[in-house]
Amino acid sequence: MKLFLFDLETTGTDAVKNGIHQISGKIIINGEVKETFDFKVRPKEGAVYEEKALEVGKVTKDQLLAYPAMREVYAKVIAMLNKYVSKYDKFDKFFLVGYNNAHFDNQFFRQWFADNGNKYFGSYFWSNSFDCMVLATPVLAEKRHRMSDFKQATVVEELGVVIEAEKLHDASYDIELCHAIYDKVCGKY
């Protein structure tokens, strides 16, 4: 089984008008972490920068504009994917794995491919994915009424993982939390 465990940081919540500024994750194949990655990326040309999103990500527009160009990072991501998946084999794909990814990250990632002129997102990824927020729901259903929210940090703490609050909303740290949730609710890989 091939897993593409990932998290994104963005300039807002609209995949079409906002852009990605950080992509972090792990490639896991048959239970073995093959590669980890953390790319800072300049958002797409014309992206709208929402002040609240920048505050959450603890970044400024000037910082983001100094990141490597989107096409440069995209080329690195594609090269990484091509090492592990044959894009012409319809039976060789990754499952996307993330926290609230079905609702958020997957759409941004798919749009990022389109923004880079690639309409073949489905050549690399299955259409169904593992959303750790959804997967944690039955595990924590009996405790949910006592939880303040179902954000990733709250869920991971409820599952017994100690977090470092100051590191939240950095995709490279958030992916570690997501990985911990996945391990706790699905068993290792």
Side-chain angles (χ1 to χ4, degrees):
M1 181 167 53
K2 297 181 179 184
L3 304 177
F4 187 85
L5 186 68
F6 80 116
D7 187 60
L8 306 175
E9 295 302 326
T10 65
T11 65
T13 59
D14 185 312
V16 174
K17 73 176 190 172
N18 301 119
I20 293 171
H21 66 81
Q22 187 181 12
I23 304 169
S24 297
K26 298 179 180 187
I27 290 178
I28 302 169
I29 299 178
N30 297 325
E32 183 182 340
V33 176
K34 296 288 189 178
E35 196 160 339
T36 61
F37 54 92
D38 180 27
F39 296 110
K40 307 284 187 175
V41 57
R42 186 180 325 135
K44 63 186 173 188
E45 189 71 33
V48 174
Y49 295 77
E50 306 289 342
E51 195 58 42
K52 184 167 173 57
L54 298 180
E55 288 173 15
V56 167
K58 302 175 195 105
V59 292
T60 66
K61 184 176 179 180
D62 287 340
Q63 286 174 305
L64 301 185
L65 292 174
Y67 287 170
M70 179 178 74
R71 292 215 185 271
E72 178 185 327
V73 175
Y74 171 77
K76 290 178 182 179
V77 170
I78 290 298
M80 181 177 58
L81 294 173
N82 285 335
K83 286 194 283 187
Y84 303 102
V85 166
S86 173
K87 66 182 177 181
Y88 300 110
D89 180 348
K90 67 180 184 175
F91 301 107
D92 185 22
K93 300 181 185 197
F94 287 105
F95 283 102
L96 291 168
V97 181
Y99 193 87
N100 196 25
N101 63 313
H103 172 74
F104 189 82
D105 299 78
N106 293 3
Q107 283 73 27
F108 264 93
F109 201 39
R110 182 180 290 272
Q111 182 64 46
W112 194 66
F113 267 62
D115 292 339
N116 280 285
N118 186 335
K119 1 179 221 186
Y120 301 106
F121 185 82
S123 294
Y124 292 100
F125 306 104
W126 297 109
S127 59
N128 52 324
S129 64
F130 290 92
D131 187 329
C132 291
M133 182 174 77
V134 175
L135 296 170
T137 300
V139 174
L140 296 175
E142 294 293 322
K143 300 177 180 182
R144 177 61 180 101
H145 68 282
R146 292 190 305 269
M147 297 170 65
S148 60
D149 55 46
F150 216 70
K151 293 179 181 177
Q152 181 169 252
T154 307
V155 168
V156 79
E157 280 186 312
E158 192 64 42
L159 292 171
V161 176
V162 176
I163 65 163
E164 298 176 56
E166 67 281 357
K167 291 185 177 181
L168 293 172
H169 301 293
D170 177 281
S172 63
Y173 181 68
D174 289 352
I175 202 62
E176 294 302 329
L177 299 180
C178 182
H179 194 174
I181 293 169
Y182 183 85
D183 284 351
K184 294 230 179 232
V185 300
C186 292
K188 282 201 157 217
Y189 316 109

